[in-house]
Amino acid sequence: MEAPNIVIKVENLTKKFGNFIAVNNISFEVYKGEIFGFLGANGAGKSTAMKMLCGLWLPTSGNAKIAGYDIYKETELIKKKIGYMSQKFSLYEDLTVAENIRFYAGIYGLSNQQIEAKTNELLSKLGIEELRNSLIKSLPLGWKQKLAFSVAIIHDPEIVFLDEPTGGVDPITRRQFWDLIYDASNRGVTVFVTTHYMDEAEYCDRISMMVAGKIEALDKPSILKQNYGVSTMDEVFLKLARG
Amino acid sequence: MRTIYFIIWKEFKQIFRDKGMLPIIFVIPIIQLLILANAATFDIKNIKVMIIDKDNSSTSRLLIAKYDASNYFKLVGTTFSNEIADNYLADGKIDMFIEIPANFERDLVRQNMNKMMIVVNAVDGTKGNVGMNYSTSLMNDFNQEIRQKFSTINTTFISNTEEINIIQSNWYNPELNYKIFMVPGILVLLVAMIATFLTAMNIVKEKEIGTIEQINVTPILKYQFLAGKLIPFWLIGMFELAFGMIIASIIYGITFVGSIGLIFLFAAVFLIAVEGLGLFISTISDTQQQAMFIAWFLLVVFILLSGLFTAVENMPGWTQNLTYLNPIKYFIELIRMIMLKGSGFEDTKIHFAVMAFFAISINTIAIWRYKKTV
């Protein structure tokens, strides 16, 4: 087996807000094409860590390289290589489906022909051709999230960061959402996803478990379950989170 | 360039889809110009006056008739009683009263002079003052008339009262039409309000709904984002000015002595400055409410220090110095100079220089404060 291709390399990354240490000296690597689950309770520091990796927040200390670029000096280069879908819903409610796609594709530098092709491809993949000219605010939450994910990878990024992408939607829609994630992963996109749904953790290739700003465990779900001698990720989580 | 185009395209889509925006763009200027230009009047008419006529002579009746005929006064009535007049004044039924003493006519003829008392309600200082001034000039007229009349009866009566004869000539606004004075100022306020508010609210809205975070992870550069945000409201501001000018000339028949092009050239710079202010407000606010409040506070200060309603020359020294920091003051001064006096670029180049300085410095601070990475 050839050496895996590292796309995210984090070393001793730390973020402090005053005296509070949100992210405490974390280190890990993510390989190309894998689905990397970033797990933890609310307030464990997942979103903070992710925002630093996306170049939204500057770290207090430590280093990280995303797609080979430095997160201090090359944030603008990183931004060309990544996609991001935040916890907060990120499409414009007062624009239509097609307009949102056109806007984001446009600012990523796609040509008009590419935009047209991408729009058609995306709509037919999601099976929502008839919603092309509907305003986003008229869509149900599940559709909005699937669409937001598709828009986040419209420019074929190397890595896509998903911050609790399936919050508040039903299990069927979550399952469909994960089909989209698998699909992207099969095309070679590295998926970095935070969640606190433990069933979703099972879908990941590898997961890291964050507790109070630190990474307490990092491995394949099956190995973690074995190590802690339990049968579900829920139990792994409870054991770690409760210390 | 293409990136900026996509942002502008998106902004215009959103602006014209927003049902509240079209009224803001079209109704506000009409209302401001129709209502405010008439309400913000410096003319004082219909000063309510009562005359205590204790003389009841042909001379006193001549004075009463003069007050009655004047446009500026409304003669509420005549009386013999000071008490009634006092009560009327206290109740606010009249603004001033004049007491003509008994034997006014007789003493005037005998002594060649006489006295009257004018009592003015000065709660509203301006109105009191104006009432006093109008009365003074009315009295002067009256004085001339009766002196001519009596000099024909009594040859010792001094008929020649010519002292200094002042002939007024009002330049640039010969009819002292306050609308010509107010309307350009109101136009400036309109443009300033629209540009500051819309810019500040628009960017804060993206913060509030969270889309700004999505924008910040894209490769959009800071200048592209800000240009994409400022250009649409710059265009709307220029449109508003043109729209307002057309309304002003249709309704009030206001003509422009100077170059309209020069006004628009200045507006172009002015809009960059006030949009920079809006941008700055957006960087220090997290919600639309905060942005609204800060923008409103600043605009009220700017409006009161602009010289639109009260002359800057009448302010205390330290307030006068503050007005030098007020972009709205410069535009109001300039638009009046160009519209009424026909000033050219040579006369207004200081205004241009100051405004360019404002535009550059406010935007520099705002851009420095706006951060993609925190």
Side-chain angles (χ1 to χ4, degrees), chain A residues 68-87:
Chain A
Y69 297 118
D70 183 77
I71 59 165
Y72 292 96
K73 294 178 210 131
E74 295 168 311
T75 48
E76 294 307 316
L77 290 168
I78 291 174
K79 284 168 184 176
K80 287 185 182 154
K81 300 285 182 187
I82 62 167
Y84 171 72
M85 180 182 165
S86 71
Q87 251 169 12

Side-chain angles (χ1 to χ4, degrees), chain A residues 216-234:
Chain A
E216 291 291 335
L218 195 167
D219 219 317
K220 292 189 165 96
S222 56
I223 295 176
L224 284 177
K225 283 186 277 191
Q226 210 173 34
N227 286 352
Y228 289 89
V230 292
S231 58
T232 64
M233 280 308 297
D234 249 357

Side-chain angles (χ1 to χ4, degrees), chain B residues 58-317:
Chain B
S58 64
T59 309
S60 72
R61 280 193 294 274
L62 178 67
L63 184 64
I64 292 168
K66 277 194 101 58
Y67 270 98
D68 202 15
S70 164
N71 273 332
Y72 296 108
F73 294 100
K74 186 170 179 285
L75 187 64
V76 174
T78 58
T79 175
F80 301 110
S81 148
N82 283 58
E83 206 183 323
I84 289 176
D86 277 345
N87 287 339
Y88 266 60
L89 192 70
D91 293 347
K93 288 177 189 162
I94 54 172
D95 300 310
M96 58 187 284
F97 66 77
I98 294 147
E99 186 186 338
I100 306 172
N103 304 323
F104 177 77
E105 191 182 64
R106 193 193 70 196
D107 295 351
L108 185 70
V109 178
R110 280 189 189 161
Q111 295 163 10
N112 199 9
M113 60 173 287
N114 210 331
K115 285 176 183 162
M116 270 190 291
M117 180 170 75
I118 300 181
V119 176
V120 174
N121 176 0
V123 170
D124 179 346
T126 317
K127 201 169 180 181
N129 257 329
V130 174
M132 210 56 199
N133 288 338
Y134 288 160
S135 283
T136 311
S137 79
L138 192 139
M139 291 290 182
N140 278 336
D141 269 9
F142 172 69
N143 199 15
Q144 300 262 353
E145 265 181 57
I146 54 172
R147 273 171 196 282
Q148 265 170 14
K149 187 175 133 194
F150 292 144
S151 63
T152 56
I153 311 167
N154 180 350
T155 44
T156 62
F157 206 88
I158 305 160
S159 67
N160 187 3
T161 55
E162 263 180 74
E163 294 146 13
I164 300 167
N165 206 357
I166 300 167
I167 298 169
Q168 288 193 8
S169 148
N170 299 305
W171 283 22
Y172 311 126
N173 184 1
E175 282 141 36
L176 290 181
N177 180 348
Y178 71 90
K179 278 177 190 138
I180 285 186
F181 188 65
M182 291 304 292
V183 168
I186 289 172
L187 267 174
V188 171
L189 291 192
L190 175 80
V191 172
M193 257 176 61
I194 296 261
T196 315
F197 274 79
L198 293 187
T199 310
M201 304 284 280
N202 179 282
I203 298 174
V204 176
K205 189 178 168 196
E206 295 231 15
K207 267 194 197 178
E208 245 180 24
I209 59 178
T211 42
I212 195 125
E213 211 174 79
Q214 194 69 40
I215 295 287
N216 285 347
V217 292
T218 67
I220 292 184
L221 299 172
K222 210 154 125 171
Y223 86 89
Q224 293 171 328
F225 177 71
L226 296 177
K229 286 289 183 190
L230 297 185
I231 291 170
F233 297 113
W234 185 88
L235 290 171
I236 289 175
M238 292 297 259
F239 170 81
E240 286 287 294
L241 182 63
F243 184 61
M245 278 183 172
I246 292 168
I247 293 180
S249 64
I250 291 174
I251 296 178
Y252 299 111
I254 286 174
T255 49
F256 297 85
V257 182
S259 150
I260 293 179
L262 197 60
I263 294 176
F264 275 94
L265 187 66
F266 189 82
V269 187
F270 174 78
L271 277 169
I272 297 173
V274 291
E275 285 193 286
L277 185 70
L279 182 62
F280 174 74
I281 292 168
S282 78
T283 64
I284 57 174
S285 335
D286 293 316
T287 63
Q288 293 189 69
Q289 265 178 330
Q290 284 174 1
M292 189 83 173
F293 195 80
I294 298 171
W296 184 238
F297 166 76
L298 286 175
L299 277 172
V300 168
V301 173
F302 282 162
I303 291 169
L304 291 180
L305 289 180
S306 68
L308 177 63
F309 298 112
T310 46
V312 172
E313 293 76 16
N314 294 347
M315 297 175 186

Side-chain angles (χ1 to χ4, degrees), chain B residues 339-352:
Chain B
M339 270 180 76
L340 304 179
K341 292 204 290 191
S343 304
F345 183 71
E346 271 303 305
D347 312 301
T348 52
K349 58 185 178 193
I350 290 176
H351 293 76
F352 273 92

